[in-house]
Amino acid sequence: MNSLLDDPAVLRELIMDHYQYPRNHKLKEDDSYASVHMASDSCIDDITVQAKIHGKTIEDICFDGIGCTISTASTSMMSELLIGKSIEEANQIIENYYAMINEKEYDPEVLQEAVALKGVSKQANRINCATIGWKAIRQMIDESENKK
């Protein structure tokens, strides 16, 4: 799989698949979900991300709204990666994702399909798109940790 994630065509395919068929793309009407609305000043991105965090575990993540290809794919990948993870595991994944986006050392194994977005670091105008959903989940994790 690693060699496939070096193939630009495979990376494009992964991004397009998550854009056209986003995972967890429906908000819940459930008060046990935290919710964060994020909008971009420089793009069409206007999304709401919800997360159900119980104890030290992210039980569910979902999102909806209007987003460009990069923000939709990124948020879809993020939701798949983090559902079922402990807060500690999620923080490690988030840190690796931001390291990748900022062209720092990261562990591609931890990011799985999200490494498809590694090229975003070369497009400064797309970095906000690639991180908008990740910022939302980080905010919800921080808020859940501060409640304790």
Side-chain angles (χ1 to χ4, degrees):
M1 177 85 167
N2 275 350
S3 61
L4 287 176
L5 294 178
D6 289 328
D7 181 341
V10 171
L11 300 181
R12 249 188 322 280
E13 225 173 275
L14 281 169
I15 291 168
M16 290 309 296
D17 182 57
H18 276 271
Y19 172 65
Q20 293 171 328
Y21 310 102
R23 284 41 152 203
N24 308 301
H25 193 242
K26 182 171 172 45
L27 297 178
K28 307 284 176 92
E29 291 188 31
D30 182 336
D31 291 340
S32 65
Y33 282 75
S35 184
V36 172
H37 173 257
M38 303 293 276
S40 173
D41 295 334
S42 60
C43 188
I44 65 165
D45 300 334
D46 188 337
I47 64 170
T48 298
V49 180
Q50 292 180 322
K52 185 173 187 174
I53 300 172
H54 186 257
K56 293 271 187 193
T57 305
I58 299 174
E59 293 183 354
D60 195 18
I61 298 173
C62 51
F63 73 102
D64 200 4
I66 298 168
C68 69
T69 302
I70 297 297
S71 68
T72 301
S74 171
T75 305
S76 173
M77 290 174 182
M78 177 271 297
S79 71
E80 281 202 312
L81 265 173
L82 300 184
I83 290 174
K85 298 290 191 291
S86 70
I87 297 297
E88 186 177 322
E89 291 169 314
N91 282 329
Q92 179 189 15
I93 292 166
I94 293 166
E95 286 169 22
N96 272 278
Y97 183 77
Y98 275 99
M100 177 186 73
I101 294 296
N102 293 311
E103 295 185 294
K104 297 190 175 6
E105 192 174 319
Y106 68 96
D107 183 352
E109 295 292 321
V110 169
L111 296 178
Q112 300 175 22
E113 285 185 346
V115 298
L117 295 156
K118 64 186 175 185
V120 168
S121 63
K122 308 232 184 302
Q123 303 169 24
N125 61 324
R126 304 299 287 193
I127 290 174
N128 191 47
C129 304
T131 58
I132 196 165
W134 295 79
K135 288 175 189 169
I137 192 66
R138 165 66 52 82
Q139 182 178 328
M140 287 182 272
I141 289 170
D142 290 348
E143 288 171 2
S144 79
E145 292 290 281
N146 290 334
K147 285 181 185 174
K148 295 178 174 115

